[in-house]
Amino acid sequence: MVAQKMSITPEFVEEKDTELLLQHGESPDSDGEQLFSLREAIDQSGFGRFQMLLCTWCGLALAADAMEMMLLSYLRQAIQHEWQIEPWQASLLTTVVFFGILVGASGWGLVSDKFGRRVAMIGLTSTAVVFGFLSALSTSVWMLMVFRMLVGCAVGGAHVGFSLFAEFLPTKSRGVTLMLTNLFWTAGIVFEAGLAWLLLERYPLGWQYFVGATALPLCVVMLFFFWLPESPRWLLSSGKEQQAVQVLQRVAKTNRRPLPRGRIVVPADLHERGRFRDLFLPSNRGITVPMFGAVFCSG
């Protein structure tokens, strides 16, 4: 199989000292050198401090998204009392938010594939923060609908952070770790209920304080954008091999584990982008249909 290969050192070295050798159009076993894949590099780096830090960051983002979702349950009653809106307007508020989520779920996925997981996370988190605070300043139900729909667009991209985290996890710990990460979603729901109890009934403009306070956890998430790495899988698929190797070295160094010796192999088919209709190929249909059904019923 035709592959692209690049040498990296197994020791913990600084990025500026790394000598990267790219060779194109060479078969993996043509020169007798040791080769390893991206998955082997992640597995040998193990589950350590790097994954724990990334789990905390992604978990906070997930909890903040849960808070933005739960906000609707409390906000409807508050604005009905404040603005004396009709029941259909309160229902429309919920509808436009979920329409935004529908648009954001596919839109941010396309952004993350084209520009990277990190860029998508920065974009969607910034969008949620800006329009979350603007929601607190709304003076009419129509203005609130527009801002909450845009927040919904951002919340719809929450899966990007989940994917970013998964692409750094070793094979053995991936399933359990991703399952436990969903506990952050539950924590966000509980925290939002506490905010509602604390703010909604105690202040004249309690619903505005409540909406503004709901956006604050995402501000904490934004403080750590400087640390957030790009997915090495996305970097390799985009032809940015040198940056991918540097990220892998960073993971190994943080976990105090060596990378495999030899050269990383970049399969030619890694550059191919998936298509929506691929989900319904005979080889994938048995997973896609039950998953769609489970998500539809749980929603």
Side-chain angles (χ1 to χ4, degrees):
M1 180 178 59
V2 176
Q4 300 172 359
K5 303 188 296 184
M6 178 168 36
S7 66
I8 67 174
T9 58
E11 295 81 8
F12 306 129
V13 296
E14 297 295 332
E15 293 178 1
K16 63 181 180 180
D17 296 327
T18 305
E19 181 181 2
L20 303 173
L21 303 176
L22 297 178
Q23 297 186 6
H24 301 278
E26 190 174 0
S27 61
D29 57 350
S30 63
D31 51 12
E33 291 185 273
Q34 289 182 314
L35 306 175
F36 63 89
S37 65
L38 173 63
R39 177 50 48 198
E40 290 171 336
I42 294 292
D43 287 345
Q44 185 156 322
S45 297
F47 185 94
R49 185 169 175 266
F50 182 90
Q51 282 77 12
M52 293 296 293
L53 291 172
L54 187 58
C55 178
T56 302
W57 186 89
C58 292
L60 287 175
L62 195 63
D65 288 336
M67 293 173 62
E68 293 288 357
M69 288 293 298
M70 281 299 297
L71 177 141
L72 290 173
S73 301
Y74 305 102
L75 185 60
R76 286 181 55 177
Q77 295 180 352
I79 63 173
Q80 277 182 307
H81 181 268
E82 178 80 16
W83 289 334
Q84 300 298 314
I85 63 175
E86 298 292 333
W88 68 268
Q89 291 176 308
S91 299
L92 184 59
L93 174 62
T94 302
T95 301
V96 298
V97 171
F98 280 96
F99 175 77
I101 292 174
L102 177 64
V103 173
S106 56
W108 288 113
L110 294 174
V111 171
S112 69
D113 280 345
K114 185 172 181 61
F115 300 104
R117 319 301 192 222
R118 185 176 185 273
V119 171
M121 284 301 297
I122 292 175
L124 67 91
T125 304
S126 302
T127 301
V129 168
V130 170
F131 292 105
F133 283 124
L134 287 177
S135 297
L137 303 176
S138 299
T139 57
S140 70
V141 66
W142 303 109
M143 184 183 298
L144 183 63
M145 284 183 188
V146 172
F147 290 150
R148 295 314 300 177
M149 181 180 67
L150 294 172
V151 171
C153 286
V155 172
H159 59 85
V160 175
F162 205 72
S163 299
L164 174 65
F165 183 42
E167 289 172 348
F168 280 98
L169 288 175
T171 305
K172 291 183 178 180
S173 57
R174 188 187 308 136
V176 174
T177 304
L178 291 177
M179 180 183 66
L180 293 176
T181 304
N182 286 309
L183 294 176
F184 284 94
W185 181 275
T186 305
I189 292 175
V190 174
F191 189 72
E192 185 72 356
L195 278 180
W197 172 81
L198 183 65
L199 298 175
L200 280 181
E201 301 296 334
R202 300 191 179 194
Y203 301 96
L205 298 176
W207 74 268
Q208 291 178 305
Y209 296 141
F210 176 58
V211 173
T214 299
L216 286 176
L218 283 172
C219 294
V220 178
V221 172
M222 292 178 66
L223 293 176
F224 295 92
F225 278 153
F226 73 93
W227 176 87
L228 185 67
E230 182 55 87
S231 164
R233 179 177 177 82
W234 181 84
L235 290 170
L236 286 176
S237 67
S238 301
K240 301 179 180 180
E241 291 89 354
Q242 180 172 350
Q243 293 94 318
V245 169
Q246 291 172 349
V247 171
L248 291 172
Q249 290 175 337
R250 177 182 171 188
V251 175
K253 183 177 180 179
T254 304
N255 289 349
R256 297 183 178 275
R257 297 282 296 272
L259 286 173
R261 294 182 179 276
R263 298 184 178 185
I264 190 168
V265 178
V266 186
D269 57 1
L270 186 64
H271 298 277
E272 298 179 0
R273 301 294 187 184
R275 298 165 299 180
F276 179 78
R277 64 174 178 266
D278 292 342
L279 294 172
F280 298 95
L281 293 175
S283 57
N284 298 328
R285 199 176 301 151
I287 298 176
T288 301
V289 174
M291 286 296 295
F292 277 18
V295 173
F296 179 83
C297 293
S298 64

